[in-house]
Coordinates of all heavy atoms in Angstrom, one line a residue:
M240 N 0.9 -1.2 0.0 CA 0.0 0.1 -0.1 C 0.8 1.3 0.0 O 1.9 1.3 0.7 CB -0.9 0.1 1.2 CG -2.1 -0.5 1.2 SD -3.1 0.0 2.5 CE -4.6 -0.5 2.2
S241 N 0.5 2.3 -0.7 CA 1.2 3.4 -0.8 C 0.7 4.4 0.3 O -0.6 4.5 0.5 CB 1.2 4.2 -2.1 OG -0.1 4.5 -2.4
P242 N 1.6 5.2 0.9 CA 0.9 6.0 1.9 C 0.2 7.2 1.3 O 0.4 7.7 0.3 CB 2.2 6.7 2.6 CG 3.3 6.5 1.6 CD 2.9 5.3 0.6
T243 N -0.8 7.7 2.0 CA -1.7 8.8 1.5 C -1.2 10.1 2.2 O -1.0 10.1 3.4 CB -3.0 8.5 1.8 OG1 -3.5 7.3 1.4 CG2 -4.1 9.5 1.4
L244 N -0.9 11.0 1.3 CA -0.5 12.4 1.9 C -1.6 13.3 1.9 O -2.5 13.4 0.9 CB 0.6 12.8 0.9 CG 1.9 12.2 0.9 CD1 2.9 12.8 -0.1 CD2 2.6 12.0 2.2
E245 N -1.9 14.0 2.9 CA -2.9 14.8 3.0 C -2.3 16.3 2.7 O -1.5 16.7 3.4 CB -3.5 14.8 4.5 CG -4.7 15.6 4.5 CD -5.3 15.4 6.0 OE1 -5.5 14.3 6.5 OE2 -5.8 16.4 6.6
T246 N -2.9 16.8 1.6 CA -2.4 18.1 1.3 C -3.7 19.0 1.1 O -4.7 18.6 0.7 CB -1.6 18.2 0.0 OG1 -2.5 17.7 -1.0 CG2 -0.3 17.4 0.1
S247 N -3.6 20.3 1.6 CA -4.6 21.2 1.3 C -4.2 22.2 0.2 O -3.1 22.8 0.3 CB -5.0 22.0 2.7 OG -3.9 22.7 3.1
V248 N -5.1 22.5 -0.6 CA -4.7 23.5 -1.8 C -5.4 24.6 -1.6 O -6.6 24.7 -1.5 CB -5.1 22.8 -3.2 CG1 -4.8 23.6 -4.2 CG2 -4.4 21.4 -3.3
E249 N -4.6 25.6 -1.4 CA -5.1 27.0 -1.2 C -5.3 27.6 -2.6 O -4.5 27.4 -3.5 CB -4.2 27.9 -0.3 CG -4.2 27.3 0.9 CD -3.2 28.3 1.8 OE1 -3.3 29.5 1.7 OE2 -2.7 27.8 3.0
P250 N -6.3 28.4 -2.7 CA -6.5 29.2 -4.0 C -5.4 30.1 -4.4 O -4.9 30.7 -3.6 CB -7.9 29.8 -3.8 CG -8.1 30.0 -2.4 CD -7.4 28.9 -1.8
F251 N -5.0 30.1 -5.7 CA -4.0 31.1 -6.2 C -4.6 32.4 -6.1 O -5.5 32.8 -6.5 CB -3.7 30.6 -7.6 CG -2.7 31.7 -8.2 CD1 -1.3 31.6 -7.9 CD2 -3.0 32.5 -9.1 CE1 -0.4 32.4 -8.3 CE2 -2.1 33.5 -9.7 CZ -0.8 33.4 -9.3
V252 N -3.7 33.4 -5.6 CA -4.0 34.8 -5.5 C -3.0 35.5 -6.3 O -1.9 35.5 -6.0 CB -3.9 35.2 -4.0 CG1 -4.2 36.8 -3.9 CG2 -4.9 34.5 -3.2
D253 N -3.6 36.1 -7.4 CA -2.6 36.9 -8.3 C -2.4 38.4 -7.7 O -3.3 39.1 -7.7 CB -3.2 37.0 -9.7 CG -2.2 37.7 -10.6 OD1 -1.1 38.1 -10.2 OD2 -2.7 37.8 -11.8
R254 N -1.4 38.7 -7.1 CA -1.2 39.8 -6.3 C -1.0 40.9 -7.3 O -1.1 42.2 -6.9 CB 0.1 39.7 -5.6 CG 0.0 38.8 -4.4 CD 1.2 38.7 -3.6 NE 2.3 38.2 -4.5 CZ 3.6 38.1 -4.0 NH1 3.9 38.4 -2.9 NH2 4.5 37.5 -4.9
R255 N -0.7 40.8 -8.6 CA -0.7 41.8 -9.6 C -2.1 42.2 -10.2 O -2.1 43.2 -10.9 CB 0.3 41.4 -10.7 CG 1.7 41.1 -10.3 CD 2.5 40.5 -11.4 NE 1.9 39.3 -11.7 CZ 2.3 38.4 -12.6 NH1 3.1 38.8 -13.5 NH2 1.8 37.2 -12.9
D256 N -3.1 41.3 -9.9 CA -4.5 41.8 -10.3 C -5.1 42.8 -9.4 O -5.5 42.6 -8.4 CB -5.3 40.4 -10.2 CG -6.7 40.8 -10.8 OD1 -7.1 41.9 -11.4 OD2 -7.6 39.9 -10.6
Y257 N -4.8 44.1 -9.8 CA -5.2 45.2 -9.1 C -6.8 45.5 -9.2 O -7.3 46.5 -8.4 CB -4.4 46.5 -9.4 CG -2.9 46.3 -9.1 CD1 -2.1 46.7 -10.0 CD2 -2.6 45.9 -7.9 CE1 -0.7 46.6 -9.8 CE2 -1.2 45.7 -7.7 CZ -0.3 46.0 -8.7 OH 1.0 45.7 -8.3
T258 N -7.3 44.8 -10.0 CA -8.9 45.0 -10.2 C -9.8 44.7 -9.0 O -10.7 45.2 -8.7 CB -9.4 44.4 -11.5 OG1 -9.2 43.0 -11.4 CG2 -8.7 45.0 -12.7
Q259 N -9.1 43.6 -8.4 CA -9.9 43.1 -7.1 C -9.3 43.4 -5.8 O -9.7 43.0 -4.6 CB -10.1 41.5 -7.3 CG -10.9 41.3 -8.6 CD -11.0 39.6 -8.8 OE1 -10.6 38.9 -8.0 NE2 -11.6 39.3 -9.8
S260 N -8.0 44.0 -5.9 CA -7.2 44.1 -4.8 C -7.7 45.5 -3.9 O -8.0 46.4 -4.6 CB -5.9 44.3 -5.0 OG -5.0 44.5 -3.9
V261 N -7.8 45.3 -2.7 CA -8.2 46.6 -1.9 C -7.0 47.6 -1.9 O -7.2 48.7 -1.9 CB -8.6 46.0 -0.5 CG1 -8.9 47.3 0.4 CG2 -9.8 45.2 -0.5
G262 N -5.8 47.0 -1.6 CA -4.7 47.8 -1.4 C -4.0 48.1 -2.8 O -2.7 48.0 -2.7
A263 N -4.7 48.3 -3.9 CA -4.0 48.5 -5.2 C -3.2 49.8 -5.1 O -3.5 50.9 -4.5 CB -4.9 48.7 -6.2
P264 N -1.9 49.7 -5.6 CA -1.0 51.0 -5.7 C -1.5 52.0 -6.6 O -2.2 51.6 -7.6 CB 0.3 50.4 -6.1 CG 0.0 49.1 -6.9 CD -1.2 48.6 -6.3
H265 N -1.1 53.2 -6.3 CA -1.7 54.1 -7.3 C -0.8 54.4 -8.3 O -1.1 55.2 -9.4 CB -1.8 55.5 -6.4 CG -2.8 55.3 -5.3 ND1 -4.2 55.3 -5.5 CD2 -2.7 55.3 -3.9 CE1 -4.8 55.2 -4.4 NE2 -3.9 55.1 -3.4
R266 N 0.5 53.9 -8.3 CA 1.4 54.1 -9.3 C 2.3 52.9 -9.4 O 2.4 52.1 -8.4 CB 2.2 55.4 -9.3 CG 3.2 55.4 -8.0 CD 3.9 56.8 -8.0 NE 4.7 56.8 -6.9 CZ 6.1 56.5 -6.9 NH1 6.6 55.9 -8.1 NH2 6.7 56.6 -5.9
E267 N 3.0 52.7 -10.5 CA 4.0 51.6 -10.7 C 5.2 51.7 -9.7 O 5.7 52.9 -9.5 CB 4.5 51.7 -12.1 CG 5.5 50.5 -12.5 CD 5.0 49.3 -12.8 OE1 3.7 49.2 -12.9 OE2 5.9 48.3 -13.0
R268 N 5.5 50.7 -8.9 CA 6.6 50.7 -8.2 C 7.9 50.6 -9.1 O 8.1 49.6 -10.0 CB 6.7 49.7 -7.2 CG 5.7 49.9 -6.0 CD 5.6 48.8 -5.0 NE 6.9 48.0 -5.0 CZ 7.0 46.8 -4.5 NH1 5.9 46.2 -3.8 NH2 8.1 46.1 -4.4
R269 N 9.0 51.2 -8.8 CA 10.2 51.3 -9.5 C 11.2 50.7 -8.6 O 11.3 51.1 -7.6 CB 10.6 52.6 -10.0 CG 9.6 53.1 -11.0 CD 9.7 52.5 -12.2 NE 8.7 53.1 -13.3 CZ 8.3 52.4 -14.4 NH1 9.0 51.4 -14.8 NH2 7.5 53.1 -15.2
Q270 N 12.3 49.9 -9.2 CA 13.4 49.4 -8.5 C 14.4 50.5 -8.3 O 14.9 50.6 -7.3 CB 13.9 48.3 -9.4 CG 15.1 47.7 -8.6 CD 15.4 46.4 -9.3 OE1 15.2 46.2 -10.4 NE2 16.5 45.7 -8.6
F271 N 14.5 51.3 -9.4 CA 15.5 52.4 -9.2 C 14.8 53.7 -9.4 O 13.7 53.9 -10.0 CB 16.5 52.2 -10.3 CG 17.3 50.9 -10.3 CD1 17.0 50.0 -11.2 CD2 18.3 50.6 -9.2 CE1 17.6 48.7 -11.2 CE2 18.9 49.6 -9.3 CZ 18.6 48.5 -10.2
T272 N 15.4 54.8 -8.8 CA 14.8 56.1 -8.9 C 15.1 56.4 -10.4 O 15.8 56.2 -11.2 CB 15.5 57.2 -8.1 OG1 16.8 57.2 -8.4 CG2 15.3 56.8 -6.6
N273 N 14.1 57.3 -10.9 CA 14.3 57.9 -12.2 C 15.3 58.9 -12.3 O 15.3 60.0 -11.4 CB 12.9 58.6 -12.7 CG 11.8 57.6 -12.9 OD1 12.2 56.4 -13.2 ND2 10.6 58.0 -12.9
S274 N 16.3 58.7 -13.1 CA 17.5 59.5 -13.2 C 17.5 60.1 -14.7 O 18.4 60.2 -15.3 CB 18.8 58.9 -13.0 OG 18.9 57.8 -13.7
H275 N 16.4 60.6 -15.3 CA 16.3 61.1 -16.5 C 16.6 62.5 -16.6 O 16.7 63.1 -17.8 CB 14.8 60.9 -17.1 CG 14.4 59.5 -17.0 ND1 15.0 58.4 -17.5 CD2 13.1 59.0 -16.8 CE1 14.4 57.4 -17.3 NE2 13.1 57.6 -17.0
E276 N 16.8 63.2 -15.4 CA 17.2 64.6 -15.5 C 18.4 65.0 -16.3 O 18.5 66.0 -16.8 CB 17.3 65.2 -14.1 CG 15.8 65.3 -13.4 CD 15.5 63.9 -12.8 OE1 16.4 63.1 -12.5 OE2 14.3 63.6 -12.7
E277 N 19.4 64.1 -16.2 CA 20.7 64.4 -16.7 C 20.8 64.0 -18.2 O 21.8 64.1 -18.9 CB 21.9 63.8 -16.0 CG 22.0 62.4 -16.0 CD 21.4 61.5 -14.9 OE1 20.7 62.2 -13.9 OE2 21.4 60.3 -14.9
L278 N 19.7 63.5 -18.7 CA 19.8 63.1 -20.2 C 19.5 64.1 -21.1 O 18.8 65.1 -20.8 CB 18.8 61.9 -20.4 CG 18.9 60.6 -19.6 CD1 17.8 59.7 -19.7 CD2 20.2 60.0 -19.9
S279 N 20.0 63.9 -22.3 CA 19.5 64.9 -23.4 C 18.1 64.8 -23.6 O 17.5 63.7 -23.3 CB 20.3 64.6 -24.7 OG 19.9 63.4 -25.3
P280 N 17.5 65.8 -24.2 CA 16.0 65.8 -24.4 C 15.6 64.4 -25.3 O 14.5 64.0 -25.0 CB 15.8 67.0 -25.2 CG 16.8 68.1 -24.8 CD 18.0 67.1 -24.6
E281 N 16.4 64.2 -26.3 CA 16.1 63.0 -27.1 C 16.1 61.7 -26.3 O 15.3 60.8 -26.4 CB 17.0 62.9 -28.3 CG 16.8 64.1 -29.3 CD 17.7 65.2 -29.0 OE1 18.5 65.2 -28.0 OE2 17.5 66.2 -29.6
A282 N 17.3 61.6 -25.5 CA 17.3 60.4 -24.7 C 16.2 60.3 -23.7 O 15.8 59.2 -23.2 CB 18.7 60.4 -24.0
R283 N 15.8 61.5 -23.1 CA 14.8 61.4 -22.1 C 13.5 61.1 -22.8 O 12.7 60.3 -22.2 CB 14.7 62.9 -21.5 CG 13.7 63.1 -20.3 CD 13.6 64.5 -19.8 NE 14.9 64.9 -19.5 CZ 15.4 66.2 -19.9 NH1 14.6 66.8 -20.7 NH2 16.6 66.5 -19.5
D284 N 13.2 61.5 -23.9 CA 12.0 61.0 -24.7 C 12.1 59.4 -24.8 O 11.0 58.8 -24.6 CB 11.9 61.7 -25.9 CG 11.5 63.2 -26.0 OD1 11.0 63.5 -24.9 OD2 11.7 63.9 -26.9
L285 N 13.2 59.0 -25.2 CA 13.3 57.6 -25.4 C 13.1 56.7 -24.0 O 12.4 55.7 -24.0 CB 14.6 57.1 -26.1 CG 14.9 55.7 -26.2 CD1 14.0 55.1 -27.0 CD2 16.3 55.4 -26.6
A286 N 13.6 57.2 -23.1 CA 13.5 56.7 -21.7 C 12.0 56.7 -21.3 O 11.5 55.7 -20.7 CB 14.4 57.3 -20.7
H287 N 11.3 57.8 -21.4 CA 10.0 57.8 -21.1 C 9.1 56.9 -22.0 O 8.2 56.3 -21.4 CB 9.4 59.2 -21.3 CG 9.8 60.1 -20.1 ND1 9.5 60.0 -18.9 CD2 10.6 61.3 -20.2 CE1 10.0 61.0 -18.1 NE2 10.8 61.8 -18.9
A288 N 9.4 56.7 -23.3 CA 8.8 55.9 -24.1 C 8.9 54.4 -23.7 O 7.9 53.6 -23.7 CB 9.2 56.0 -25.6
I289 N 10.2 54.0 -23.2 CA 10.5 52.7 -22.9 C 9.8 52.5 -21.4 O 9.2 51.4 -21.2 CB 11.9 52.5 -22.6 CG1 12.7 52.4 -24.0 CG2 12.3 51.2 -21.8 CD1 14.1 52.2 -24.1
D290 N 9.8 53.4 -20.6 CA 9.1 53.4 -19.3 C 7.6 53.1 -19.5 O 6.9 52.3 -18.8 CB 9.3 54.6 -18.3 CG 10.7 54.4 -17.7 OD1 11.4 53.4 -17.7 OD2 11.1 55.5 -17.1
S291 N 7.0 53.9 -20.4 CA 5.6 53.8 -20.7 C 5.4 52.4 -21.2 O 4.3 51.7 -20.9 CB 5.2 54.8 -21.7 OG 5.2 56.1 -21.2
Y292 N 6.1 51.9 -22.1 CA 5.9 50.5 -22.7 C 5.9 49.4 -21.5 O 5.2 48.5 -21.5 CB 7.0 50.2 -23.7 CG 6.9 48.8 -24.5 CD1 6.2 48.8 -25.7 CD2 7.4 47.7 -23.9 CE1 6.1 47.5 -26.3 CE2 7.2 46.5 -24.5 CZ 6.5 46.4 -25.7 OH 6.3 45.2 -26.3
K293 N 6.9 49.5 -20.8 CA 7.2 48.6 -19.6 C 6.0 48.7 -18.7 O 5.5 47.7 -18.2 CB 8.5 48.8 -18.7 CG 9.6 48.5 -19.7 CD 11.0 49.2 -19.0 CE 11.4 48.5 -17.7 NZ 12.6 49.0 -17.3
F294 N 5.3 49.8 -18.4 CA 4.2 50.1 -17.5 C 3.0 49.5 -18.2 O 2.2 48.8 -17.5 CB 4.0 51.5 -17.2 CG 2.9 51.8 -16.3 CD1 3.0 51.5 -15.0 CD2 1.7 52.3 -16.9 CE1 1.9 51.7 -14.1 CE2 0.7 52.6 -15.9 CZ 0.7 52.2 -14.6
L295 N 2.8 49.8 -19.4 CA 1.6 49.3 -20.1 C 1.6 47.8 -20.2 O 0.5 47.2 -19.9 CB 1.6 49.9 -21.7 CG 0.5 49.4 -22.5 CD1 -0.9 50.2 -21.9 CD2 0.8 50.1 -23.8
Y296 N 2.6 47.2 -20.6 CA 2.7 45.7 -20.6 C 3.2 44.9 -19.4 O 3.4 43.8 -19.5 CB 3.6 45.3 -21.9 CG 2.9 45.8 -23.2 CD1 3.3 46.9 -23.8 CD2 1.9 45.2 -23.7 CE1 2.8 47.3 -25.1 CE2 1.3 45.5 -24.8 CZ 1.8 46.6 -25.5 OH 1.1 47.1 -26.6
R297 N 3.4 45.7 -18.3 CA 3.8 45.2 -17.0 C 5.0 44.3 -17.2 O 5.1 43.1 -16.8 CB 2.8 44.3 -16.5 CG 1.5 45.1 -16.1 CD 0.5 44.2 -15.5 NE -0.7 45.0 -15.1 CZ -0.9 45.4 -13.8 NH1 -0.2 45.0 -12.7 NH2 -2.1 46.1 -13.5
R298 N 6.1 44.8 -17.7 CA 7.4 44.2 -18.0 C 8.4 45.0 -17.2 O 8.4 46.1 -17.2 CB 7.7 44.2 -19.4 CG 6.7 43.7 -20.4 CD 6.7 42.1 -20.3 NE 8.0 41.5 -20.6 CZ 8.4 41.1 -21.8 NH1 7.7 41.2 -22.7 NH2 9.6 40.6 -21.8
R299 N 9.1 44.2 -16.4 CA 10.3 44.7 -15.7 C 11.5 45.0 -16.6 O 12.2 45.9 -16.6 CB 10.7 43.9 -14.5 CG 11.9 44.5 -13.8 CD 12.2 43.7 -12.6 NE 11.9 44.3 -11.4 CZ 11.8 43.9 -10.2 NH1 12.2 42.7 -10.0 NH2 11.6 44.6 -9.2
F300 N 11.7 43.9 -17.5 CA 12.7 44.0 -18.6 C 12.1 43.8 -19.9 O 11.2 43.1 -20.0 CB 13.9 43.0 -18.2 CG 14.4 43.1 -16.8 CD1 14.0 42.1 -15.9 CD2 15.4 43.9 -16.5 CE1 14.5 42.2 -14.6 CE2 15.8 43.9 -15.2 CZ 15.3 43.2 -14.3
I301 N 12.7 44.4 -21.0 CA 12.2 44.4 -22.3 C 13.3 43.8 -23.1 O 14.4 43.8 -22.9 CB 11.7 45.6 -22.8 CG1 12.7 46.7 -22.8 CG2 10.5 46.1 -22.0 CD1 12.3 47.9 -23.5
T302 N 12.9 43.1 -24.3 CA 13.9 42.8 -25.3 C 14.2 43.8 -26.1 O 13.7 44.9 -26.1 CB 13.2 41.6 -26.1 OG1 12.1 42.0 -26.8 CG2 12.7 40.4 -25.3
Y303 N 15.2 43.4 -27.0 CA 15.6 44.5 -28.1 C 14.3 44.8 -28.9 O 14.2 46.0 -29.5 CB 16.8 44.1 -28.8 CG 18.2 44.0 -28.0 CD1 18.7 42.8 -27.6 CD2 18.6 45.2 -27.5 CE1 19.9 42.8 -26.9 CE2 19.8 45.2 -26.7 CZ 20.3 44.0 -26.4 OH 21.4 43.9 -25.8
E304 N 13.6 43.8 -29.4 CA 12.5 44.0 -30.2 C 11.5 45.0 -29.6 O 11.0 45.9 -30.3 CB 11.8 42.7 -30.6 CG 12.6 41.9 -31.5 CD 12.7 42.4 -32.9 OE1 11.9 43.2 -33.4 OE2 13.7 42.0 -33.5
E305 N 11.3 44.9 -28.4 CA 10.4 45.8 -27.7 C 11.0 47.2 -27.4 O 10.2 48.1 -27.6 CB 10.1 45.0 -26.2 CG 9.2 43.9 -26.2 CD 9.2 43.2 -25.0 OE1 10.2 43.1 -24.3 OE2 8.1 42.6 -24.7
M306 N 12.3 47.1 -27.3 CA 12.8 48.5 -27.3 C 12.8 49.3 -28.6 O 12.6 50.4 -28.6 CB 14.3 48.4 -26.8 CG 15.0 49.7 -26.6 SD 16.8 49.5 -26.1 CE 16.8 48.4 -24.7
L307 N 12.9 48.5 -29.6 CA 12.8 48.9 -31.0 C 11.3 49.5 -31.2 O 11.2 50.5 -31.8 CB 13.2 48.0 -32.2 CG 13.0 48.3 -33.5 CD1 13.9 49.7 -33.8 CD2 13.5 47.3 -34.5
A308 N 10.3 48.7 -30.8 CA 8.9 49.2 -30.8 C 8.8 50.6 -30.0 O 8.0 51.4 -30.5 CB 8.0 48.1 -30.3
A309 N 9.5 50.6 -28.9 CA 9.2 51.9 -28.2 C 9.8 53.1 -29.1 O 9.4 54.2 -29.0 CB 9.9 51.8 -26.8
A310 N 11.0 52.7 -29.5 CA 11.6 53.8 -30.5 C 10.8 54.3 -31.7 O 10.8 55.4 -32.0 CB 13.0 53.3 -30.9
K311 N 10.2 53.2 -32.2 CA 9.4 53.5 -33.4 C 8.1 54.3 -33.0 O 7.6 55.1 -33.8 CB 8.9 52.2 -34.2 CG 10.2 51.6 -34.9 CD 9.7 50.3 -35.6 CE 10.7 49.7 -36.5 NZ 10.3 48.5 -37.1
S312 N 7.6 54.1 -31.7 CA 6.5 54.9 -31.3 C 6.9 56.4 -31.2 O 5.9 57.1 -31.3 CB 6.0 54.4 -30.0 OG 6.9 54.8 -29.0
L313 N 8.0 56.7 -31.2 CA 8.5 58.0 -31.2 C 8.8 58.6 -32.7 O 9.2 59.7 -32.7 CB 9.8 58.2 -30.4 CG 9.8 57.9 -28.9 CD1 11.1 58.0 -28.2 CD2 8.9 59.0 -28.3
G314 N 8.7 57.8 -33.6 CA 8.9 58.1 -35.1 C 10.2 57.6 -35.7 O 10.5 58.1 -36.9
Y315 N 10.9 56.9 -35.0 CA 12.2 56.4 -35.5 C 11.9 55.4 -36.6 O 11.1 54.6 -36.7 CB 13.0 55.5 -34.4 CG 14.2 54.8 -34.9 CD1 15.4 55.6 -35.1 CD2 14.2 53.5 -35.3 CE1 16.5 55.0 -35.7 CE2 15.2 52.8 -35.8 CZ 16.3 53.5 -36.0 OH 17.6 53.0 -36.4
K316 N 12.7 55.7 -37.7 CA 12.7 54.8 -38.7 C 14.1 54.8 -39.4 O 14.9 55.8 -39.4 CB 11.7 55.0 -39.8 CG 11.9 56.3 -40.6 CD 10.8 56.5 -41.6 CE 11.0 57.6 -42.5 NZ 10.1 57.8 -43.5
R317 N 14.7 53.7 -39.8 CA 16.0 53.5 -40.4 C 15.9 53.9 -41.8 O 15.1 53.4 -42.6 CB 16.5 52.1 -40.2 CG 17.9 51.9 -40.7 CD 18.5 50.5 -40.3 NE 19.8 50.4 -40.7 CZ 20.5 49.3 -40.6 NH1 19.8 48.2 -40.0 NH2 21.6 49.2 -40.9
D318 N 17.0 54.8 -42.1 CA 17.0 55.3 -43.6 C 17.9 54.3 -44.4 O 18.7 53.6 -44.1 CB 17.6 56.6 -43.8 CG 16.6 57.6 -43.0 OD1 15.4 57.5 -43.2 OD2 17.1 58.6 -42.7

């Protein structure tokens, strides 16, 4: 006879689902402070576009393809 293990399964709670959460944050938490002040205006625009992309798609890190999509959203195109 095999031993019977008694396990209780608790329901999965998605802590990122802010639609049902009482303590939903009012803004995205960042790991690092924004240091866009010392950037050139063009680099600052790119940094904001990338931050917006990451916030919209809830991504902490993005791929090069996603970075290119953020740059293209600013009007970048290769000649």
Side-chain angles (χ1 to χ4, degrees):
M240 266 198 175
S241 64
T243 304
L244 297 176
E245 189 173 318
T246 60
S247 63
V248 178
E249 295 183 24
F251 175 75
V252 177
D253 186 2
R254 294 179 296 174
R255 296 173 293 176
D256 183 12
Y257 299 130
T258 58
Q259 299 176 4
S260 176
V261 176
H265 298 290
R266 65 182 182 88
E267 175 86 6
R268 284 181 21 193
R269 296 286 179 195
Q270 183 177 4
F271 303 105
T272 60
N273 286 340
S274 59
H275 302 320
E276 292 81 29
E277 71 261 1
L278 297 174
S279 67
E281 294 87 3
R283 190 177 307 123
D284 287 344
L285 178 60
H287 286 296
I289 290 173
D290 282 347
S291 296
Y292 184 95
K293 289 164 65 174
F294 181 76
L295 180 65
Y296 294 102
R297 295 181 177 256
R298 302 287 304 268
R299 179 178 249 173
F300 304 104
I301 61 173
T302 65
Y303 290 115
E304 290 292 332
E305 292 168 322
M306 191 180 305
L307 180 60
K311 284 183 176 180
S312 74
L313 295 173
Y315 169 81
K316 67 179 183 175
R317 187 173 176 181
D318 291 330

